[in-house]
Amino acid sequence: MSQQVSLKLFLDNHIFDGMTDKQIKIMVAAIRIFAEKGYANTSTKEIAKCRRC
């Protein structure tokens, strides 16, 4: 499943409703890095430094 489709599922299910722009950027970064590296192999530092997210 592509990353855009995954994010669309979050939008369609209103997961981001009520979140600030900053919170949404953090969630998107986490989702993208988790998809690439897996949850166990991702650090919060990597999420915070994500420039393409």
Side-chain angles (χ1 to χ4, degrees):
M1 187 180 306
S2 76
Q3 289 178 349
Q4 286 196 356
V5 171
S6 297
L7 293 177
K8 185 175 178 346
L9 292 173
F10 279 83
L11 291 169
D12 289 348
N13 289 293
H14 306 282
I15 303 298
F16 297 134
D17 290 358
M19 289 186 176
T20 65
D21 287 343
K22 188 173 185 176
Q23 290 172 321
I24 292 170
K25 287 179 184 179
I26 292 168
M27 288 290 292
V28 169
I31 292 165
R32 288 184 174 160
I33 296 172
F34 291 163
E36 287 177 18
K37 299 179 70 175
Y39 176 80
N41 296 320
T42 301
S43 70
T44 53
K45 187 175 186 177
E46 288 175 293
I47 295 168
K49 286 187 172 185
C50 189
R51 299 285 183 224
R52 60 188 164 71
C53 304

